[in-house]
Amino acid sequence: MSTQGDESSRNRLPLRMSDLHEAFLAPHGTRERIGLEVEAGVLDESTGLAAPYAGPHGMAALLHQVLREWGGSPQWAGDVLTGVHLPDGTKLTLEHGGQLEYSPPPADDLVTLVTAMRVTMEALATLAQQHGLAIVPGGNLPFNRVDTATWVPTVRGGVMRTYFAGLGPEGEGAPHIMKLSTSTQTTLDYLSEDDLASKLRVQVAASPVVAALLVNSPLYAGHLDGVLSHRCRDWLRMDPRRVGSPRPALRTPLTAKALTDWALGMPMIYRRGPSGYCLAGPRTFADHLRDGFDDGTAPHWEDWLSHLDQIYTTVRVRQTLETRAPDGPPYPHVPAVPALWTGLTYHAPSRAAAWELLRHYTPEESNAAQQALPTAGLATRLGGDSVRDLARHLLGLARAGLQARIHAGLEQPRALAFLDPLNEILDTNETFAEQTARRWQTTHNNDPARYITAHRIPPAT
């Protein structure tokens, strides 16, 4: 592992082609840990509208309170406070529309990961309540329109908005994703190039099935319009080159070189130049590597890592595997997401069986399923097959994977219960989105305050 000084020196050196594969082949040792990101809206208790960035009860005020009461290191974008790194390594950061992202250090087992998440998120909910705010995970901000949510005023965000606006219809979903979407993401390790291929291909092949199972953003601006996942729909309209399935993942052989060549052929959105963030121009990263940037400078290692961060596929390879396909579930059921991905990914027999189940579906069939699932949910077809049936198979394999990890002493027995809400979805044939839509019209009587009461993270007692 490089020292900080070595890494700093490397960042100043021009890139060589031989360097690029290292982003996919960094040494990982033998530990398979579990990372988690939970994105949530921070919403007014009465109206359900997202808190603004500024003001006495805005997101900046909440972050400053975290710093005063919990300590940690402030994270700045210029003079804009965008996050806090807590003393235990947990990161609290703001998305472009002020959504709050919780990201703890990776854990060795699910129960440890989930316990830490509940402690921190419920303590944070207590602070938010002092501002009249509620923290609400899920798939989107349910009561805002794009024009009623505020931007976090960073330069990088403005540069990104300019880029996506320049794409016309192909980028029209970007403001919705940047301002309104939330999700629950799991990050998992790979141990070698072969292990990368084995895990990545299964995660990519399973992503349309998992996304259809977990649709959970049926409300937009407080209204139902028949869409079960506004988030998944909006991702389809956010530069098709950099979303959906990473194309090399369903091909053979899947190698670090194939991933590198694919990423080289994609345009870079922005870079951090001598004067701050700016558009990188319409050329591919391969063009920049050959000819340099428009200001005459050559790409450095940080530029390459930043470029990989600007690829928003269903699974993102960034020296780990970050699964990004599904909406976030309601707070009680957040553990289902890392449990499903861990059981499928970290047990070799379950992973192999999942690949045998899914390997014959073509990239075109996977793409068609991703196009259909925002409105079809569990009625989506993958190829000619029922996503509901495929989800039941995958859930059984994930449960077997977790059971094997329990037997090996790698998980605590209660991790199996994390999957129970997904079994309930399949048994009742009612997704989280459909549960939310039904209750919105009945139990909640179309009242945002009632919705918030039902969906907020409970403050710590």
Side-chain angles (χ1 to χ4, degrees), residues 142-435:
F143 300 110
N144 284 90
R145 301 187 309 271
V146 167
D147 61 349
T148 61
T150 60
W151 294 106
V152 175
T154 63
V155 173
R156 182 172 68 94
V159 170
M160 292 178 68
R161 296 195 294 276
T162 298
Y163 169 83
F164 286 113
L167 298 179
E170 289 190 339
E172 65 184 8
H176 296 258
I177 291 297
M178 294 172 71
K179 255 194 180 183
L180 304 180
S181 74
T182 59
S183 66
T184 294
Q185 301 169 10
T186 306
T187 300
L188 300 168
D189 289 323
Y190 55 90
L191 309 179
S192 66
E193 187 171 16
D194 288 342
D195 197 47
L196 163 64
S198 173
K199 291 171 176 174
L200 176 59
R201 67 187 184 184
V202 166
Q203 291 175 347
V204 170
S207 283
V209 180
V210 174
L213 175 65
L214 284 162
V215 288
N216 189 37
S217 48
L219 284 168
Y220 173 73
H223 298 288
L224 300 170
D225 58 6
V227 176
L228 298 176
S229 176
H230 284 88
R231 173 184 169 274
C232 288
R233 186 195 65 174
D234 291 332
W235 270 116
L236 299 172
R237 303 176 297 146
M238 190 170 168
D239 192 351
R241 295 168 295 187
R242 63 186 72 245
V243 300
S245 300
R247 287 194 295 276
L250 298 180
R251 299 174 183 166
T252 302
L254 171 55
T255 62
K257 182 181 184 305
L259 290 167
T260 300
D261 291 345
W262 167 69
L264 280 169
M266 196 174 299
M268 191 178 188
I269 298 177
Y270 61 83
R271 60 182 289 253
R272 190 166 189 169
S275 302
Y277 286 105
C278 59
L279 287 170
R283 295 182 297 150
T284 68
F285 198 91
D287 293 332
H288 296 309
L289 192 64
R290 183 185 64 243
D291 302 326
F293 293 116
D294 290 343
D295 61 7
T297 61
H300 295 167
W301 180 247
E302 282 187 346
D303 294 313
W304 177 237
L305 295 183
S306 176
H307 175 59
L308 297 181
D309 282 349
Q310 297 166 37
I311 298 172
Y312 310 117
T313 44
T314 54
V315 183
R316 182 156 60 182
V317 186
R318 307 193 291 185
Q319 302 182 348
T320 56
L321 298 170
E322 181 185 81
T323 59
R324 304 166 47 84
D327 290 351
Y331 177 66
H333 310 314
V334 164
V337 178
L340 177 61
W341 286 121
T342 300
L344 282 178
T345 303
Y346 278 171
H347 180 234
S350 290
R351 188 167 71 241
W355 180 238
E356 285 304 312
L357 177 71
L358 300 169
R359 66 183 302 168
H360 65 280
Y361 298 110
T362 66
E364 292 73 23
E365 289 170 332
S366 177
N367 221 21
Q370 291 176 53
Q371 296 280 338
L373 72 87
T375 53
L378 282 177
T380 301
R381 310 292 291 186
L382 181 55
D385 299 321
S386 161
V387 157
R388 184 184 298 107
D389 293 342
L390 293 171
R392 193 174 293 279
H393 282 298
L394 291 179
L395 191 54
L397 293 173
R399 192 172 290 276
L402 291 187
Q403 187 67 66
R405 285 175 58 81
I406 291 167
H407 286 159
L410 300 173
E411 296 285 353
Q412 300 176 49
R414 59 194 177 105
L416 278 176
F418 295 160
L419 293 174
D420 290 349
L422 304 184
N423 283 110
E424 183 178 347
I425 288 173
L426 295 173
D427 291 342
T428 62
N429 198 31
E430 187 179 47
T431 60
F432 292 134
E434 289 159 319
Q435 294 173 29

